[in-house]
Amino acid sequence: ALQIALGQVRQLLAHLDIAVLSHVVQIGGARVRDGQGLPTSADLDSIDASEVRCLDPDAEAAMIREIKEAATAGDSLGGVVEVLAHGVPPGLGSHVHWDRRLDAALAQALMSIQAMKAVEIGDGWSVAAKRGSEAHDAIHWDDERSDYVRASARAGGIEGGMSTGEVIVARVAMKPLATLNRPVLTTVDVVSKQETVSFKERTDVTAVPAAGVVAETMMALVLAGEALRKFGGDSLDEFRRNHAGYLASLRPS
């Protein structure tokens, strides 16, 4: 029943031309190169064809090497997944209500996944080290598109708690799995209270690629909820009509 419901969420977003996908950007110390473009739905087959769901072939090879080395050592690896939402209209979320901010809702949803320890929206961590003149996305007018555009995407598609119409970008960091194939972690015997080591347990080296699929679902659930709040309606036809009318009102010309 849950799988059916999640499938319906994706179908609902598809009616608004919203597509959510994910890819792995880091496993252990292996990371995709800076400056890589954001994947789109056209890249999904290539992402899924990768053993680690990474679109960068060089990074993919480095990730696989790290996994094999960690497996040989009986250890585990964490990593980072990037989740993207294309086609999100501007105005989802709220700049007024603290509990309806879109970035806050996404952060809560992504952090609710087991073993996740950090969430970043856009260039969240890196912009903290920049000056204001370098940290924001300047707005320009594009005559060809007859629309406002931004030359950068540091905000990750969300400003003031609301979507901007740009691609929404979130990254979530997963810690290494706690269960290991060798007894190395220090613990305490609950009977004797003496220091000992943890049991050796069967475990995967990493679950980061699988976590990306879960993260997609959490982002889709948040976006679907905000879209229903924004456009409402008692039927799919009314929901789509309200969405189309809203978009038309943004560009009356």
Side-chain angles (χ1 to χ4, degrees):
L2 179 60
Q3 289 181 335
I4 293 174
L6 295 178
Q8 290 174 337
V9 168
R10 287 183 175 275
Q11 289 178 2
L12 181 69
L13 292 176
H15 282 290
L16 306 186
D17 294 323
I18 299 174
V20 179
L21 67 147
S22 70
H23 65 126
V24 174
V25 297
Q26 182 176 348
I27 292 181
R31 187 177 179 87
V32 300
R33 296 166 292 176
D34 291 336
Q36 297 289 300
L38 297 177
T40 67
S41 297
D43 298 306
L44 192 54
D45 288 342
S46 297
I47 293 171
D48 288 337
S50 166
E51 291 186 70
V52 290
R53 301 197 75 249
C54 178
L55 193 58
D56 182 340
D58 293 334
E60 176 190 28
M63 291 175 187
I64 292 173
R65 285 195 299 270
E66 288 243 0
I67 291 171
K68 290 180 178 179
E69 291 171 2
T72 300
D75 220 325
S76 60
L77 294 170
V80 179
V81 169
E82 186 172 77
V83 197
L84 310 168
H86 293 269
V88 179
L92 296 191
S94 173
H95 68 283
V96 178
H97 306 89
W98 67 269
D99 57 338
R100 286 181 48 196
R101 292 178 62 91
L102 184 59
D103 44 3
L106 286 173
Q108 180 187 27
L110 293 172
M111 280 292 285
S112 74
I113 304 170
Q114 293 89 334
M116 300 303 164
K117 302 303 291 185
V119 174
E120 177 182 44
I121 306 295
D123 294 349
W125 286 110
S126 63
V127 296
K130 296 180 179 180
R131 295 185 176 185
S133 58
E134 303 172 317
H136 298 96
D137 302 318
I139 302 173
H140 304 276
W141 177 259
D142 188 322
D143 287 326
E144 185 174 334
R145 293 170 53 183
S146 296
D147 201 358
Y148 298 100
V149 297
R150 295 168 188 262
S152 57
R154 301 182 184 98
I158 301 175
E159 289 183 347
M162 302 175 70
S163 59
T164 64
E166 302 292 319
V167 180
I168 291 180
V169 183
R171 298 178 197 89
V172 56
M174 183 180 192
K175 69 174 183 175
L177 299 172
T179 50
L180 302 177
N181 277 322
R182 61 189 176 106
V184 65
L185 294 177
T186 302
T187 186
V188 176
D189 188 301
V190 296
V191 176
S192 68
K193 306 300 186 289
Q194 297 298 307
E195 184 175 297
T196 183
V197 293
S198 58
F199 292 113
K200 172 183 176 180
E201 298 192 35
R202 188 271 171 206
T203 182
D204 294 323
V205 176
T206 186
V208 175
V213 180
V214 181
E216 289 178 26
T217 299
M218 298 309 294
M219 179 177 278
L221 285 168
V222 170
L223 293 178
E226 288 304 314
L228 287 169
R229 187 200 301 268
K230 181 73 172 177
F231 306 119
D234 297 322
S235 67
L236 180 59
D237 288 341
E238 187 176 359
F239 177 67
R240 294 175 63 186
R241 184 198 67 198
N242 293 345
H243 171 256
Y246 173 73
L247 293 182
S249 71
L250 297 179
R251 302 180 180 86
S253 59

